[in-house]
Amino acid sequence: VIKRPIIYSFYHQFNGAEGGGTGMSAEADKKLLDVWKSEWHDAGWNPRVLTIEDAKQHPHFLTLNAMLDGLPFKMYDRLCFIRWLAMANQPNGGIMVDYDVFPLNWIRHDLPNGGRLTVHEYSPSGGVPAMISASQSEWFRFAWSLAENAVQHKQESHWSDMKAMQDLYMASEKQAYLQSKSVVPGLAVLDGKGFTDETCERAAHSMAIHFSHHAVDKGVTPGEKSGPENRGPLAKEWLENWRRSCKTLSAGVAADIGDITAGLGGFHLP
């Protein structure tokens, strides 16, 4: 029996005293998490949700957490920094995705690029940290760098791990980490046109899709499932329609996927 590889995410249930949050109700968060777990499991993975308790197990948690004390960021943004340390506490590192990122054509499973930190949702300014792969040492290297960057921007009223990540990327002349164009931004397919050849082709050449809060808020979605509060049902419906409407990967497309995921190991589980 082949052991399923782990796909990680991070989640924290907010209470009123903490302020901020995910922008969704606890019920909507649970629905989205349930869809996330189901889709990754069906794709052959062992989905595991990390929490702040996982970060607290890291020997440098107290130090890094103290670095974030006194910064004028909401608890949500603080946890976005801490989640990197939760991944740095995993012995083999791994792949972490937001719980609104779903698998499309992930054929292989090992860490790409020799474990060097790789951001898989591309942007010219440094990408979106919705899917990241890295070795344990790389997760820790960047967890620390992000916290240091946050301290340097303590005058900002809002500073997220994405802003810090992009700031480090540009300051390093794009050498701080690698990027790939492996994740489809949800806004690219929520255009009201349905499953056109262009949509199917883009999905066929990607490993995952990201139904972000922004994508669902600004994109064209089915009336009954519109809005970020309904991301779980919307994602489930889109993925079911994608599987039904788009053709199976051709040999050529599958070869292309193999190229962009080179180094990711290779097996599929039922």
Side-chain angles (χ1 to χ4, degrees), residues 8-270:
Y8 295 95
S9 193
F10 184 92
Y11 178 71
H12 178 78
Q13 179 62 61
F14 287 86
N15 58 50
E18 291 173 326
T22 65
M24 301 193 303
S25 66
E27 181 182 3
D29 269 332
K30 183 180 183 305
K31 288 181 180 179
L32 185 57
L33 274 167
D34 286 346
V35 176
W36 178 83
K37 291 175 184 176
S38 175
E39 289 291 333
W40 282 99
H41 179 272
D42 289 350
W45 295 76
N46 175 17
R48 180 182 169 194
V49 179
L50 302 176
T51 70
I52 191 172
E53 297 305 317
D54 293 283
K56 287 179 178 179
Q57 300 303 311
H58 195 282
H60 292 283
F61 172 78
L62 292 177
T63 304
L64 187 142
N65 195 44
M67 292 169 67
L68 302 174
D69 283 343
L71 301 182
F73 310 150
K74 293 181 178 179
M75 184 62 172
Y76 177 86
D77 292 314
R78 184 187 186 101
L79 286 169
C80 284
F81 288 94
I82 288 175
R83 65 177 177 161
W84 294 70
L85 201 60
M87 281 300 301
N89 197 50
Q90 307 312 308
N92 299 311
I95 302 166
M96 180 175 69
V97 300
D98 288 348
Y99 64 100
D100 54 9
V101 171
F102 303 92
L104 291 175
N105 299 295
W106 201 303
I107 295 175
R108 315 176 89 170
H109 297 82
D110 293 345
L111 292 179
N113 302 314
R116 185 175 174 189
L117 194 140
T118 305
V119 175
H120 294 278
E121 184 171 349
Y122 175 86
S123 78
S125 58
V128 178
M131 174 183 282
I132 303 169
S133 59
S135 66
Q136 184 181 30
S137 61
E138 280 284 86
W139 279 110
F140 178 69
R141 174 181 73 88
F142 226 69
W144 195 265
S145 295
L146 291 171
E148 289 181 328
N149 184 274
V151 172
Q152 293 168 7
H153 291 85
K154 61 184 178 182
Q155 75 281 2
E156 304 284 349
S157 60
H158 173 256
W159 195 253
S160 65
D161 66 329
M162 183 170 77
K163 288 185 176 182
M165 184 186 82
Q166 292 176 346
D167 191 52
L168 291 166
Y169 185 73
M170 299 306 290
S172 69
E173 298 183 347
K174 303 183 178 182
Q175 299 301 308
Y177 51 84
L178 301 176
Q179 285 202 76
S180 74
K181 297 180 180 179
S182 306
V183 177
V184 179
L187 201 56
V189 299
L190 298 178
D191 55 7
K193 298 179 182 179
F195 287 88
T196 63
D197 289 344
E198 181 180 359
T199 297
C200 290
E201 181 74 4
R202 181 158 192 182
H205 287 84
S206 301
M207 294 190 290
I209 186 164
H210 182 200
F211 289 115
S212 67
H213 190 287
H214 174 74
V216 175
D217 187 40
K218 301 299 182 182
V220 179
T221 58
E224 293 184 3
K225 294 184 174 63
S226 62
E229 185 76 359
N230 292 295
R231 273 195 287 171
L234 186 147
K236 183 176 178 63
E237 180 177 297
W238 190 93
L239 290 161
E240 288 175 348
N241 287 336
W242 166 68
R243 285 188 284 264
R244 188 163 49 242
S245 302
C246 295
K247 294 180 180 179
T248 304
L249 287 178
S250 66
V253 171
D256 290 342
I257 292 288
D259 289 340
I260 67 172
T261 60
L264 281 174
F267 59 90
H268 175 74
L269 292 170

